Amino acid sequence: MATTLKDVTKREPFTPEPKSKSFQRNLLLSIGGVFLLFAICFSVYQYKREKEYKIDILHSRLQMYNYEMVQTVGMDSIVCSHTFRNYVLHHQMEGLRVSVIDKEGRVILDSYDTNVKDLGNHLQRREIQQALREGSGYDIKRMSQSTHETYFYSATRFDDVIVRAAVPYSAELTRSLQADNTYIYYSGVLTLLLGIVLYYITHRISRHIGYLREFAVKAEEGEKLDHELERRLPDDELGDISHTIIMLYWKLRHSEEEKVRIKRQLTQNAAHELKTPAASIHGYLESIIDNPDMPEDKKKHFLERCFAQSERMNKLLLDMSALTKLDEIDDDRSEARQAYRPVDVLQIIQSALDDTALQLQEKGIVPSLQLPQHVEVLGDQSLIYSIFRNLIDNAIAYATGASLLSITCAEVEKEGRHFYEFIVSDNGQGVEAQHLTHLFERFYRVDKGRSRKLGGTGLGLAIVKNAVVAHGGQATALSTPGGGLTIRFTLARF
């Protein structure tokens, strides 16, 4: 069943969240936190990448030195102490130390120490292992066991020997290997700017959500609402969503107010309609009780009037019960709609005409049918019968001077769905144009005094429209060309 405004007001009152849990703060912290984490990770990655780049440059320079030395002195002379030292002497770099090591890790020559036997085996050194595997290798900031200085080592393998160049970690080298921190300042400034933009965006979103929240609080507390909040909403997707929510609220509120008005009007009209026959019955019975010597023929007349008024009351109550049933199945998910079954409409029309054949004959109305051979819809048989029975009864009661009652049917398609369109028309006096849009309203009467005299309840066409809507169709009232009333309605095809 659809949620009503009354149901909503029965729920627990809306309690605003404390300011410490503001939407803006949570949004700013969540998005800002993710962005800050990304910025930190990017900075760390960039720092390591920058440092590796500087190390690669130094490693490449030392590799170039190793290659130039081997190409200059030749592979055969690289192990010659005199040639080796002469080259290092004439191609010296500040603090440069050069060593020649064989594949077993033994130091053959060293520019710093002539007593190479005391230098130990270098096979397990990191740069030597890499050079043996990959052709070149380096090690960063390792202390020499012979000089007790910290060096940067770069080794290159040439067939059976490895040439290793090393430079000490001076203050200048340390500075040159440090990553350039300029990008960190740029990243900081960019983060600050984006933080300001993010704050502005979250503040703007929070402000507009605050307007919507203010509207919700006022609606919950039943305060007077105006359209000022709507004018303050942004002209974007957030504003569209907010406008939609507010419009749905207004529609729900107006719908509930309209339902309350209709129910109040229905109650008043029902009381008014019941009051007349009830007063008549009371008056007739009171006359019979107060006059025990009343002639039998007069008493019988009063009793017949009481019976007629009771019949009118009974029909009114039955019609109101039918409308109540229709209101209950107004929801598409109602159990009544789930119980719908295939219904043969032609059989129902014929049954309604058979039940009213005597009244039609007395009024001189001849039914005319133009229907397909097979018309079947999914619905409630009793409600579909009430549609055609009320339309026929309405023609009998109010189509003054009518001689023809026409019922036609044709298959139509609307928005991809297939319907049967029925047209029930007469050639009587018809209804003035200003009444056509009100004919389906409950207790609406074109001529109130005349309608009551004819025994009508004012609910027949209201039942017709609600029963049609309950079967997924629509009903309209039109003037018949040439005079008379036409009721056109659709029922969804099975």
Side-chain angles (χ1 to χ4, degrees):
M1 186 177 291
T3 304
T4 64
L5 192 62
K6 184 177 180 181
D7 296 330
V8 175
T9 55
K10 289 182 179 179
R11 299 174 184 170
E12 295 183 0
F14 175 77
T15 303
E17 292 186 353
K19 292 183 179 179
S20 59
K21 295 182 179 181
S22 68
F23 174 81
Q24 181 187 358
R25 190 199 67 174
N26 293 336
L27 184 62
L28 184 62
L29 288 179
S30 59
I31 300 178
V34 171
F35 177 76
L36 186 61
L37 179 61
F38 171 79
I40 293 174
C41 292
F42 175 77
S43 298
V44 172
Y45 168 77
Q46 186 65 20
Y47 177 82
K48 292 179 65 177
R49 186 171 178 272
E50 185 77 12
K51 191 170 182 179
E52 290 175 358
Y53 174 73
K54 295 289 185 66
I55 291 173
D56 286 341
I57 291 176
L58 179 59
H59 177 53
S60 298
R61 289 176 61 190
L62 294 178
Q63 288 287 300
M64 186 67 67
Y65 181 89
N66 295 341
Y67 277 105
E68 288 179 352
M69 183 175 68
V70 172
Q71 290 178 356
T72 302
V73 302
M75 282 297 300
D76 296 335
S77 303
I78 192 66
V79 294
C80 175
S81 177
H82 174 75
T83 305
F84 168 76
R85 293 186 182 280
N86 186 52
Y87 181 87
V88 172
L89 180 64
H90 289 85
H91 298 82
Q92 181 68 300
M93 296 171 59
E94 183 179 355
L96 180 67
R97 181 180 180 183
V98 183
S99 304
V100 179
I101 305 168
D102 64 14
K103 295 177 62 175
E104 282 71 34
R106 293 186 296 269
V107 179
I108 302 174
L109 296 171
D110 187 87
S111 62
Y112 182 82
D113 195 343
T114 56
N115 190 11
V116 295
K117 294 182 180 180
D118 297 334
L119 296 179
N121 192 286
H122 286 39
L123 184 63
Q124 299 303 319
R125 304 291 173 87
R126 179 182 175 185
E127 69 277 7
I128 303 301
Q129 288 289 326
Q130 288 183 359
L132 290 173
R133 291 194 309 269
E134 303 170 10
S136 66
Y138 67 87
D139 196 7
I140 305 172
K141 214 169 185 178
R142 191 184 72 234
M143 181 178 291
S144 172
Q145 296 179 358
S146 57
T147 64
H148 303 291
E149 287 189 52
T150 303
Y151 287 92
F152 178 91
Y153 297 93
S154 178
T156 309
R157 180 167 62 87
F158 298 97
D159 294 335
D160 295 334
V161 297
I162 298 171
V163 178
R164 186 185 69 176
V167 291
Y169 258 89
S170 61
E172 182 180 353
L173 179 61
T174 303
R175 285 193 301 271
S176 66
L177 292 180
Q178 287 180 347
D180 187 1
N181 295 329
T182 305
Y183 75 93
I184 296 179
Y185 301 123
Y186 283 113
S187 298
V189 173
L190 182 60
T191 301
L192 180 62
L193 292 176
L194 290 177
I196 295 173
V197 173
L198 180 62
Y199 175 82
Y200 170 76
I201 294 174
T202 55
H203 178 71
R204 180 173 176 269
I205 295 175
S206 178
R207 184 174 71 252
H208 296 312
I209 290 180
Y211 295 153
L212 190 60
R213 180 171 171 268
E214 182 182 347
F215 184 90
V217 171
K218 287 185 176 181
E220 180 72 22
E221 296 177 354
E223 297 182 14
K224 184 179 179 181
L225 299 173
D226 51 36
H227 296 279
E228 178 62 29
L229 287 174
E230 295 183 64
R231 288 192 289 270
R232 286 186 280 171
L233 293 173
D235 187 17
D236 54 18
E237 289 82 358
L238 179 61
D240 292 340
I241 294 173
S242 301
H243 280 296
T244 302
I245 294 173
I246 293 174
M247 288 303 298
L248 288 175
Y249 167 78
W250 284 117
K251 287 182 179 180
L252 177 62
R253 180 171 177 175
H254 293 158
S255 175
E256 293 300 325
E257 291 175 352
E258 182 66 15
K259 286 183 179 180
V260 171
R261 186 190 67 80
I262 292 174
K263 288 182 179 179
R264 186 184 299 113
Q265 185 180 18
L266 177 62
T267 303
Q268 293 173 351
N269 290 336
H272 181 71
E273 293 293 333
L274 290 171
K275 181 174 66 175
T276 301
S280 298
I281 293 173
H282 181 270
Y284 288 132
L285 292 177
E286 186 179 26
S287 298
I288 293 174
I289 293 173
D290 291 344
N291 298 279
D293 298 330
M294 180 183 295
E296 289 298 323
D297 57 342
K298 191 174 184 179
K299 183 185 294 185
K300 182 180 178 182
H301 174 72
F302 281 4
L303 289 175
E304 288 175 349
R305 297 304 301 163
C306 287
F307 179 77
Q309 295 297 330
S310 67
E311 283 287 305
R312 180 183 172 189
M313 291 179 63
N314 184 58
K315 189 175 187 311
L316 179 62
L317 292 173
L318 289 175
D319 287 348
M320 292 177 63
S321 176
L323 282 173
T324 301
K325 179 181 178 181
L326 290 169
D327 288 338
E328 290 176 353
I329 65 174
D330 189 42
D331 187 357
D332 290 338
R333 298 166 295 177
S334 65
E335 295 181 1
R337 288 203 174 190
Q338 301 299 325
Y340 280 178
R341 295 292 182 269
V343 176
D344 187 349
V345 181
L346 298 182
Q347 182 180 353
I348 288 179
I349 294 175
Q350 192 60 53
S351 177
L353 288 173
D354 291 342
D355 293 341
T356 57
L358 184 59
Q359 294 94 317
L360 288 169
Q361 185 177 357
E362 290 177 352
K363 289 286 186 176
I365 300 175
V366 179
S368 173
L369 304 181
Q370 298 180 17
L371 305 169
Q373 294 183 353
H374 180 76
V375 179
E376 192 174 51
V377 300
L378 188 67
D380 183 280
Q381 184 168 343
S382 63
L383 290 179
I384 295 177
Y385 175 84
S386 70
I387 294 173
F388 292 97
R389 179 59 188 265
N390 277 286
L391 290 176
I392 296 172
D393 287 343
N394 188 75
I396 293 171
Y398 304 113
T400 305
S403 60
L404 179 67
L405 177 64
S406 174
I407 302 177
T408 64
C409 175
E411 187 174 340
V412 296
E413 182 178 351
K414 294 180 180 180
E415 298 179 356
R417 297 181 60 190
H418 292 272
F419 295 86
Y420 286 114
E421 182 179 65
F422 295 89
I423 300 176
V424 181
S425 60
D426 61 69
N427 59 348
Q429 67 179 5
V431 176
E432 294 180 4
Q434 66 267 25
H435 298 293
L436 292 176
T437 56
H438 302 286
L439 288 180
F440 296 109
E441 294 179 6
R442 302 177 186 190
F443 295 109
Y444 184 81
R445 300 176 187 276
V446 176
D447 185 343
K448 297 182 179 180
R450 179 171 172 272
S451 299
R452 288 194 178 91
K453 289 178 182 179
L454 294 173
T457 62
L459 296 175
L461 292 182
I463 292 174
V464 169
K465 181 175 182 179
N466 282 269
V468 168
V469 171
H471 288 82
Q474 295 178 338
T476 55
L478 307 167
S479 293
T480 304
L485 177 66
T486 296
I487 303 297
R488 176 180 294 171
F489 63 93
T490 56
L491 296 176
R493 194 188 71 176
F494 173 64

